[in-house]
Amino acid sequence: MTHAEASGSHTGGNTVDVSTLVEQARQGRPRAVARLISLVEGASPQLREVMAALAPLTGGAYVVGLTGSPGVGKSTSTSALVTAYRKAGRRVGVLAVDPSSPFSGGALLGDRVRMSEHASDPGVYIRSMATRGHLGGLAWAAPQAIRVLDAAGCEVILVETVGVGQSEVEIAAQADTSVVLLAPGMGDGIQAAKAGILEIGDVYVVNKADRDGADATARELNHMLGLGESRAAGDWRPPIVKTVAARSEGIDEVVEALEKHRAWMEEHGVLDVRRRARAAGEVENIALTTLRGRIGDLRGDQHLDALAERVATGTLDAYAAADELIAGLTSS
């Protein structure tokens, strides 16, 4: 697969041949992969058909999430990891989740050519996705986009998230392994404690380790991880790796740490547990989105108006009204 940052087709209102698209994606054709992800992002009416076709083809990819404060070098680190995995012969997919334009909803950085050194590599697929205002640093369509890349034969999928402070922890729910990046001189030790990322990291990377304060940052992080420990014998203890991603220094050690964590998860059954939890969250989100849509359709509905009037006049409490509303939705 080649770099297809700008090749996402506009689906418009046209119906597409999903089975043909899926077969082309399995063959590694970037336009087919781009079109499928565009169907996901656009919440196409054919999305259910797409997901049904992809389901039997997924489950083989190793999903690595990278998060951290803005400026720590997430894109540079992601690019260096792509290079390392390609040297090992792995096919790699990258979802780079960008901030959304408040006007168009598109990715502010989406028209920037990212990781251009991989542009001509047929074993790499890179896609920017907009958060569209979704908190948590991830695009709402990211779980389905991950499935597309998985089905398309990507053995490793790197999900680079927006650094959004305290809500960036959502990456832990979407990745098999979560990598938290920090850098010296950015107050990251304090920020890490505030953001709660000490609870979600499986591997910690102190990037820009050629700067003053890198050793101190690593020591502080190690101390804070020790304070928060309540691990039994055999539990995973997150390693701390120092890198200079711009020069690819320490990247092999990061890959080694990732492989060790994957092996540990497989040995202890943690990988299956995480993937089941991820699937449960995905199902729940789809169900809630569907219910919200149905409730939205009731705006101006006589039944909802009647319930609202009774709540406003104090003849019915809001919880009882909600129960009645849900009962009506589920029985219809």
Side-chain angles (χ1 to χ4, degrees):
M1 283 174 284
T2 186
H3 180 290
E5 178 72 62
S7 66
S9 306
H10 293 289
T11 59
N14 299 328
T15 300
V16 299
D17 185 340
V18 170
S19 60
T20 300
L21 267 184
V22 170
E23 183 55 39
Q24 290 175 347
R26 290 188 70 188
Q27 296 168 6
R29 298 190 188 181
R31 288 187 179 276
V33 178
R35 189 73 185 276
L36 287 170
I37 293 180
S38 293
L39 289 173
V40 167
E41 285 193 291
S44 164
Q46 291 184 278
L47 186 53
R48 291 175 184 271
E49 185 184 353
V50 169
M51 289 300 112
L54 294 178
L57 309 174
T58 59
Y62 176 43
V63 183
V64 177
L66 294 96
T67 191
S69 303
V72 297
K74 291 190 293 293
S75 291
T76 307
S77 297
T78 300
S79 181
L81 283 171
V82 170
T83 299
Y85 277 118
R86 289 300 293 139
K87 283 182 180 177
R90 305 279 190 90
R91 297 176 74 182
V92 184
V94 178
L95 286 182
V97 183
D98 286 328
S100 300
S101 162
F103 303 105
S104 68
L108 286 175
L109 310 180
D111 55 359
R112 188 184 78 196
V113 178
R114 305 184 70 142
M115 306 174 202
S116 57
E117 63 267 37
H118 305 296
S120 60
D121 189 342
V124 180
Y125 182 91
I126 300 172
R127 176 72 173 235
S128 278
M129 297 183 73
T131 59
R132 298 175 188 265
H134 181 72
L135 294 177
L138 286 179
W140 72 271
Q144 287 79 35
I146 289 170
R147 289 182 185 277
V148 172
L149 294 179
D150 188 353
C154 293
E155 297 164 87
V156 178
I157 300 172
L158 304 175
V159 184
E160 177 202 329
T161 75
V162 181
V164 290
Q166 294 188 11
S167 54
E168 68 195 349
V169 296
E170 188 177 299
I171 183 58
Q174 296 300 333
D176 296 324
T177 297
S178 296
V179 178
V180 175
L181 284 92
L182 305 97
M186 299 183 67
D188 272 329
I190 296 171
Q191 291 302 316
K194 286 173 60 179
I197 58 175
L198 293 180
E199 284 77 32
I200 67 136
D202 299 305
V203 175
Y204 289 89
V205 173
V206 178
N207 190 32
K208 305 181 182 181
D210 52 342
R211 291 185 177 180
D212 290 341
D215 290 338
T217 298
R219 280 196 305 271
E220 181 182 4
L221 179 58
N222 187 56
H223 175 66
M224 294 174 73
L225 286 171
L227 289 176
E229 275 187 342
S230 57
R231 298 182 178 90
D235 283 356
W236 177 257
R237 191 184 194 284
I240 300 169
V241 184
K242 288 187 287 185
T243 65
V244 183
R247 299 200 295 262
S248 295
E249 294 176 10
I251 297 300
D252 287 343
E253 287 78 4
V254 175
V255 172
E256 182 182 355
L258 292 173
E259 292 303 314
K260 284 182 178 178
H261 184 245
R262 182 178 187 176
W264 176 85
M265 287 192 296
E266 290 175 343
E267 180 184 347
H268 292 82
V270 174
L271 189 57
D272 287 340
V273 170
R274 287 192 176 191
R275 288 180 174 178
R276 283 198 299 271
R278 192 159 75 215
E282 188 177 353
V283 171
E284 182 181 350
N285 283 334
I286 291 170
L288 287 172
T289 300
T290 302
L291 284 173
R292 284 193 194 101
R294 292 175 68 179
I295 291 173
D297 291 341
L298 289 176
R299 296 291 180 186
D301 179 85
Q302 291 183 351
H303 181 51
L304 181 57
D305 285 346
L307 289 173
E309 183 178 350
R310 292 169 65 192
V311 171
T313 57
T315 58
L316 183 70
D317 70 269
Y319 284 91
D323 289 341
E324 191 173 328
L325 180 63
I326 291 169
L329 286 173
T330 54
S331 63
S332 60

